Amino acid sequence: MSDDAVSSDRRLIGTFDYVVIGAGSAGCVVANRLASDPGKKVLVLEAGGKDDWIWFHIPVGYLFAIGNPRADWLFQTEPQPGLGGRALAYPRGKVVGGCSAINAMVYMRGQAADYDGWRQSGLSGWGWDDVLPYFLKHEDHVAPPAGGLHKAGGEWRVEHPRVRWAILDAIRDAAEAAGIAKIPDFNTGDNEGSSYFQVNQRRGRRLSAYRAFLKPLLDQRERTNLRLETRVHVERIVFEQGRARAVEFTHGLGTPSEEKLRVEVGGEIVLSAGSIASPALLERSGIGSGTRLRQLGIETLVDAPGVGENLQDHLQIRPVYKVHGVKTLNGDYAKLWRRPMMALQWAALRTGPLTMAPSQVGAFAKSSARYATANLQYHFQPLSLDSWGAGLHPFDAFTASVCNLRPSSRGSVHLRSADPQDVPAISPNYLDTEEDRQVAIDALKLTRRIVAQAPLARFRPEEYLPGEAATSDEALLDAAAKLGTTIFHPVGTARMGRADDPGAVLDERLRVRGVSGLRVIDASVMPTITSGNTANPTMMIAEKGVAMLLEDARG
């Protein structure tokens, strides 16, 4: 499956300087920067469709997009032993913009220690001081404070929430009473404390990576060097003498207009399909564990056992508390007469509940004194439901979602077969280690301590899930297994690492080891997960990765 002539059943659509596979959070940034040179031809291949649905643009639309086949690939994990054998829904964006079109819109960089840890592991150029300029390069902060940690003028808008809830302010007060200080900004390198999340919106509308980086270029009539193809399924990357030279894909898969196509590449191919699809495409192209590929009947081009391994994700545990005498989205949405009022408020003023990210208030804390920096993240939500995509509960409540920021458990993503249409096997391996199990127990104990503080007492919180009967460590761990679900942050499945690291798929410049002309630039490159929401670190990686690509191209 390596050196290969043009397939007889495929139509050649031309030659491009660069082909970017995936128009998600990373791919849109990469394509924008590559296409800024009008002398270079750039093709972007996206498996999803156009963002021509209203719920891609109204922020609260995540409630309708996640779990909907129009917006979500509807992946599922393998049954997870650490979760009592449950298989979880694993949402991924099925649209231009990728997950940035359906995610929580939270602007979060992580902690300086995350990136300094990468640098200390031998990845030069990836420390906090190295990566901060790439966060800033595309940032457009609504009101950048003094100090140089934020800036205005880039493509990526960062705003403050446009709706407040009394219950969330009371939760912040309760967290403060429990020892979690109020802070103004999570994005200074140290995010310990509580604050309102900053969001990637523009005047009350969701801003996706596609809308920020790709669409403005495609709308320029005079620009002829950038082409986007949607609803294409990439089967494999074709190599000649060890260099990536072509991409084979199908347009309109499963439709009457289905056509098998091929594009040739003069420069580089950038794989930005994400932590699930990128390792799968590497394996289909002959890059992966030789043993695994032989079992699938795929010829091995590069024996790279790290492909598809090292999967890390933030497992969120979702305690729910009923409250009384205070407004929540559950109660508002249940009142049918309120729904048109919400719509009018959004349409006229771009304010109100329809501008809501899934979480408005967050908190970062330590589960125990053994951790040097905060290892828990809370997403406090003035709503509750059994699962994303399900309806809201018929009573007023809030959710105190909490996740372990730096899990020690490691999972995998691999092909099930050589069939390009087969979905990969996703196994995050949640709660596989004793450390992760203890953090889960301690997280539930801390949650109860916050909710028990005086500022929440007037709302008479009642623990609906997991329920006050769960008191022993064993019962709390069982509750974590029952309530735990993904918070949609898979990373690490094609990680970068030092030359002497046998599990590293990429070098520190994101080049795939063992071949030339191919880079991976997306969340799969992370050696370890960042301490917070992963969308913006992924876009930083895209900014830095494409800068390195262009630097290398100049020689």
Side-chain angles (χ1 to χ4, degrees):
M1 225 184 233
S2 51
D3 299 353
D4 190 303
V6 175
S7 301
S8 59
D9 63 341
R10 293 184 182 271
R11 179 168 67 87
L12 179 65
I13 67 169
T15 301
F16 287 77
D17 296 289
Y18 300 107
V19 172
V20 180
I21 301 173
S25 298
C28 289
V29 176
V30 170
N32 176 290
R33 302 315 188 215
L34 293 177
S36 64
D37 180 349
K40 299 296 184 182
K41 293 175 61 180
V42 180
L43 174 66
V44 184
L45 301 175
E46 167 57 38
K50 297 179 180 178
D51 63 347
D52 53 359
W53 186 37
I54 188 64
W55 293 119
F56 288 134
H57 309 294
I58 297 178
V60 82
Y62 64 87
L63 286 171
F64 309 102
I66 292 175
N68 187 315
R70 180 170 183 170
D72 181 355
W73 286 106
L74 302 180
F75 290 142
Q76 280 203 323
T77 70
E78 301 297 287
Q80 295 295 288
L83 304 185
R86 289 189 299 130
L88 301 183
Y90 219 68
R92 298 282 87 195
K94 189 181 179 182
V95 59
V96 289
C99 292
S100 72
I102 66 170
N103 71 2
M105 296 163 282
V106 171
Y107 183 74
M108 184 67 60
R109 295 171 179 168
Q111 297 171 2
D114 299 332
Y115 306 101
D116 289 342
W118 295 0
R119 176 179 53 79
Q120 290 158 9
S121 72
L123 294 168
S124 60
W126 286 97
W128 171 252
D129 291 339
D130 302 308
V131 303
L132 181 57
Y134 294 100
F135 281 110
L136 293 172
K137 184 174 181 179
H138 52 241
E139 186 181 15
D140 182 26
H141 197 284
V142 63
L149 290 173
H150 291 283
K151 66 174 282 291
E155 298 93 342
W156 195 230
R157 185 71 168 173
V158 179
E159 296 187 347
H160 299 296
R162 290 170 172 253
V163 62
R164 294 181 78 97
W165 298 82
I167 185 64
L168 296 182
D169 290 328
I171 288 170
R172 285 192 76 196
D173 292 340
E176 185 175 45
I180 302 171
K182 295 179 181 179
I183 61 172
D185 184 5
F186 285 133
N187 292 296
T188 64
D190 177 5
N191 53 19
E192 187 168 358
S194 82
S195 190
Y196 273 83
F197 288 123
Q198 297 168 35
V199 293
N200 294 123
Q201 295 179 8
R202 181 178 286 143
R203 295 184 294 277
R205 285 176 61 100
R206 174 189 288 274
L207 183 64
S208 72
Y210 170 73
R211 291 274 162 165
F213 293 94
L214 205 52
K215 189 176 187 297
L217 297 190
L218 293 169
D219 286 346
Q220 297 174 5
R221 292 186 178 181
E222 69 276 11
R223 184 174 296 278
T224 59
N225 70 322
L226 176 63
R227 175 174 168 182
L228 170 66
E229 291 288 342
T230 59
R231 301 192 183 282
V232 298
H233 185 75
V234 175
E235 278 99 14
R236 64 172 181 145
I237 298 164
V238 178
F239 295 85
E240 296 173 4
Q241 286 78 52
R243 182 170 185 85
R245 289 297 189 189
V247 179
E248 295 185 344
F249 61 98
T250 300
H251 185 271
L253 184 67
T255 70
S257 60
E258 179 178 315
E259 185 177 17
K260 293 186 178 298
L261 303 171
R262 174 181 172 120
V263 59
E264 296 186 344
V265 185
E268 290 199 42
I269 295 170
V270 178
L271 180 50
S272 297
S275 292
I276 305 305
S278 284
L281 182 53
L282 288 172
E283 288 184 332
R284 287 203 300 272
S285 304
I287 300 173
S289 162
T291 301
R292 183 179 299 277
L293 295 182
R294 281 192 298 274
Q295 292 171 346
L296 296 173
I298 298 173
E299 182 182 340
T300 302
L301 174 65
V302 178
D303 186 0
V307 171
E309 295 296 309
N310 193 49
L311 173 62
Q312 298 156 63
D313 188 16
H314 290 143
L315 177 73
Q316 60 172 337
I317 306 167
R318 297 179 53 79
V320 171
Y321 290 85
K322 292 183 177 181
V323 287
H324 308 272
V326 65
K327 185 168 68 171
T328 71
L329 187 62
N330 289 16
D332 265 15
Y333 193 72
K335 299 169 185 172
L336 296 181
W337 62 270
R338 282 283 294 144
R339 299 184 191 181
M341 296 296 291
M342 293 181 196
L344 183 61
Q345 187 178 8
W346 183 83
L349 303 174
R350 292 290 192 266
T351 61
L354 268 62
T355 68
M356 284 174 53
S359 307
Q360 291 77 56
V361 161
F364 290 80
K366 297 172 185 174
S367 64
S368 78
R370 64 176 291 194
Y371 294 96
T373 63
N375 69 311
L376 296 179
Q377 179 180 6
Y378 282 92
H379 291 77
F380 292 110
Q381 300 152 350
L383 56 87
S384 66
L385 33 66
D386 288 329
S387 63
W388 294 113
L392 297 173
H393 287 144
F395 46 78
D396 282 310
F398 70 86
T399 302
S401 173
V402 59
C403 69
N404 178 357
L405 288 171
R406 295 185 294 276
S408 54
S409 300
R410 295 292 183 267
S412 64
V413 177
H414 290 294
L415 296 183
R416 299 176 189 274
S417 72
D419 182 353
Q421 297 183 40
D422 204 356
V423 297
I426 304 167
S427 187
N429 224 13
Y430 297 118
L431 300 179
D432 183 55
T433 66
E434 182 58 37
E435 179 186 8
D436 287 357
R437 292 190 287 270
Q438 187 60 53
V439 170
I441 293 166
D442 291 343
L444 287 171
K445 290 178 178 178
L446 177 59
T447 304
R448 285 177 170 172
R449 186 154 61 87
I450 293 170
V451 175
Q453 300 301 313
L456 279 170
R458 68 187 186 275
F459 302 132
R460 306 194 310 279
E462 302 173 34
E463 188 173 299
Y464 176 69
L465 292 173
E468 295 176 357
T471 56
S472 68
D473 283 7
E474 182 180 13
L476 289 174
L477 181 59
D478 182 64
K482 290 176 179 175
L483 296 178
T485 187
T486 177
I487 202 168
F488 325 130
H489 297 164
V491 308
T493 50
R495 67 178 172 88
M496 56 178 165
R498 297 181 318 203
D500 61 352
D501 182 349
V505 180
L506 316 174
D507 66 14
E508 74 277 3
R509 299 185 75 79
L510 309 186
R511 297 173 294 205
V512 176
R513 297 189 187 279
V515 295
S516 59
L518 175 63
R519 294 183 204 233
V520 179
I521 304 180
D522 59 26
S524 66
V525 315
M526 294 187 192
T528 52
I529 196 166
T530 53
S531 300
N533 310 71
T534 53
N536 288 281
T538 298
M539 296 173 76
M540 175 279 291
I541 288 167
E543 194 78 81
K544 180 172 170 59
V546 73
M548 291 189 293
L549 186 160
L550 292 171
E551 183 181 32
D552 292 345
R554 290 191 293 268

